[in-house]
């Protein structure tokens, strides 16, 4: 298994070097707030061959704010074995905004145990992460259903990373696994109300994922599995709609967003003042 922390350091080193080549210099145009694991390891469904993908959060300097330096970028990070991993770079305030939009893949970053740095700004979000999920839950469920539909549209199309499996079995195994995982997390959060626990796939869903990877789930079973997983999320969404949970979210979310935004805005002001040279 790859040393995740070591890979995160390598991601940071590579990105810093690439930005430097573009004239965006560490300590002059930005500082690194933290690098966070994003991907299958956060859900407990990784294998020894799983890539280590990440999000690198940066803090702008006064210079970059004045010059409106572009600090949002996605980069490929080469591995020694020839594979390519992904690192997405975000300025902190853009990074913070992600968590109020109800995107499943963004929220995992607040719950990962694998990161370097991130003890100053992101900790404000991490301390309130369960409260945040509870507040945006109705919107998150709708977003989960949207994500499932997106993955369903790609079930019978291969990508470079799934071509070998697709050629043999006739479907994209990564998209199928993603659909099942979303349903698993949504169900367990709806039942238990703890997102940190709900993110970790276990039980029947994990067994299904292992069977899929082993090539023991034929193409004829895929549509049934997908429809079943999507009905689970649709049922949760319908229950929330009937309870007027969405209206409650629209009232509570702006308050929480303003509270967190005010704290981190003050932190950023202090940081910029201390590092204005």
């Amino acid at each position: 298994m790859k040393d995740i922390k070591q890979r995160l350091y390598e991601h940071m080193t590579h990105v810093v070097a690439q930005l430097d080549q573009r004239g965006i210099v560490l300590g002059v145009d930005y500082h690194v707030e933290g690098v966070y694991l994003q991907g299958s390891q956060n859900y407990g469904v990784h294998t020894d061959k799983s890539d280590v993908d990440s999000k690198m959060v940066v803090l702008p300097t006064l210079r970059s704010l004045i010059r409106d330096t572009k600090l949002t970028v996605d980069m490929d990070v080469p591995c020694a074995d020839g594979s390519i991993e992904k690192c997405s770079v975000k300025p902190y305030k853009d990074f913070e905004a992600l968590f109020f939009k109800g995107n499943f893949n963004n929220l995992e970053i607040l719950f990962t145990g694998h990161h370097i740095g991130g003890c100053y700004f992101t900790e404000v979000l991490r301390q309130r992460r369960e409260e945040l999920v509870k507040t945006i839950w109705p919107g998150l469920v709708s977003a989960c259903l949207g994500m499932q539909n997106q993955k369903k549209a790609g079930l019978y199309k291969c990508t470079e990373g799934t071509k070998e499996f697709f050629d043999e079995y006739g479907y994209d195994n990564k998209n199928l696994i993603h659909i099942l995982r979303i349903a698993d997390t949504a169900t367990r959060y709806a039942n238990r109300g703890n997102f940190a626990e709900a993110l970790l796939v276990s039980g029947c869903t994990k067994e299904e994922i292992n069977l899929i990877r082993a090539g023991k789930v034929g193409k004829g079973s895929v549509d049934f599995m997908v429809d079943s997983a999507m009905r689970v999320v649709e049922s949760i969404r319908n229950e929330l709609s009937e309870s007027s949970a969405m209206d409650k979210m629209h009232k509570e979310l702006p308050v929480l967003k303003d509270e967190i935004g005010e704290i981190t805005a003050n932190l950023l002001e202090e940081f910029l003042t201390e590092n204005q040279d």
Side-chain angles (χ1 to χ4, degrees):
M1 184 180 298
K2 294 180 180 179
D3 184 326
I4 295 175
K5 191 168 186 178
Q6 178 61 34
R7 285 304 298 158
L8 294 180
Y9 274 112
E10 290 171 5
H11 282 205
M12 180 175 66
T13 301
H14 178 81
V15 170
V16 168
Q18 291 297 308
L19 289 175
D20 187 68
Q21 289 183 14
R22 302 180 188 188
I24 303 173
V25 181
L26 178 65
V28 176
D29 298 291
Y30 70 96
H31 298 274
V32 177
E33 191 270 347
V35 185
Y36 303 86
L37 175 70
Q38 187 164 26
S40 58
Q41 295 90 347
N42 289 331
Y43 306 104
V45 295
H46 56 291
T47 68
D48 290 344
K49 297 180 179 180
S50 293
D51 290 339
V52 176
D53 294 329
S54 67
K55 195 173 293 292
M56 186 170 109
V57 183
V58 299
L59 300 169
T61 61
L62 286 174
R63 170 191 169 95
S64 66
L65 289 173
I66 292 169
R67 293 189 172 194
D68 195 25
T69 303
K70 179 177 170 56
L71 295 175
T72 299
V73 61
D74 294 328
M75 286 197 181
D76 292 340
V77 183
C79 300
D81 61 5
S83 62
I84 299 293
E85 296 176 343
K86 304 290 183 181
C87 181
S88 174
V89 183
K90 287 277 188 187
Y92 180 79
K93 274 301 181 180
D94 290 349
F95 173 71
E96 180 183 285
L98 296 175
F99 304 111
F100 301 106
K101 296 179 179 179
N103 186 298
F104 191 88
N105 288 342
N106 290 328
L107 284 168
E108 71 173 84
I109 300 168
L110 294 184
F111 291 85
T112 184
H114 302 285
H115 60 91
I116 55 177
C119 298
Y120 191 51
F121 284 78
T122 302
E123 190 59 30
V124 175
L125 290 162
R126 287 174 64 88
Q127 288 176 357
R128 303 184 72 170
R129 58 190 182 178
E130 289 288 354
E131 178 188 1
L132 174 59
V133 174
K134 183 178 179 180
T135 302
I136 67 170
W137 176 236
L140 178 57
V141 172
S142 294
C144 284
L145 191 57
M147 191 176 296
Q148 284 183 314
N149 274 308
Q150 181 185 38
K151 299 301 178 182
K152 181 179 179 180
L155 266 176
Y156 299 110
K157 303 173 185 177
C158 70
T159 63
E160 183 178 349
T162 61
K163 187 178 186 306
E164 184 177 347
F165 188 96
F166 186 91
D167 287 345
E168 184 169 357
Y169 299 103
Y171 66 92
D172 186 301
N173 58 333
K174 287 188 176 181
N175 280 332
L176 177 57
I177 289 171
H178 205 130
I179 290 167
L180 299 180
R181 178 172 60 76
I182 289 171
D184 181 77
T185 295
T187 299
R188 285 188 293 120
Y189 183 77
N191 291 334
R192 303 179 186 179
N194 185 303
F195 201 70
E197 292 181 2
L199 276 174
L200 295 173
V201 177
S202 60
C204 294
T205 302
K206 192 159 189 175
E207 291 175 9
E208 286 180 329
I209 289 172
N210 289 335
L211 290 173
I212 292 166
R213 284 182 168 149
K216 296 181 180 179
V217 174
K219 185 177 179 180
S221 302
V222 171
D223 288 340
F224 174 77
M225 295 174 74
V226 169
D227 290 342
S228 298
M230 292 185 69
R231 280 198 299 270
V232 166
V233 180
E234 287 175 349
S235 176
I236 296 171
R237 182 196 60 183
N238 293 339
E239 288 179 6
L240 289 168
S241 297
E242 292 172 2
S243 67
S244 300
M246 191 67 78
D247 291 338
K248 182 180 179 183
M249 183 191 79
H250 288 315
K251 292 178 181 178
E252 295 180 352
L253 181 56
V255 176
L256 179 61
K257 185 176 180 180
D258 287 346
E259 287 178 4
I260 292 176
E262 181 67 18
I263 294 170
T264 53
N266 289 335
L267 286 174
L268 186 56
E269 183 179 9
E270 291 174 8
F271 178 84
L272 289 171
T273 301
E274 293 170 0
N275 295 275
Q276 60 183 327
D277 295 333

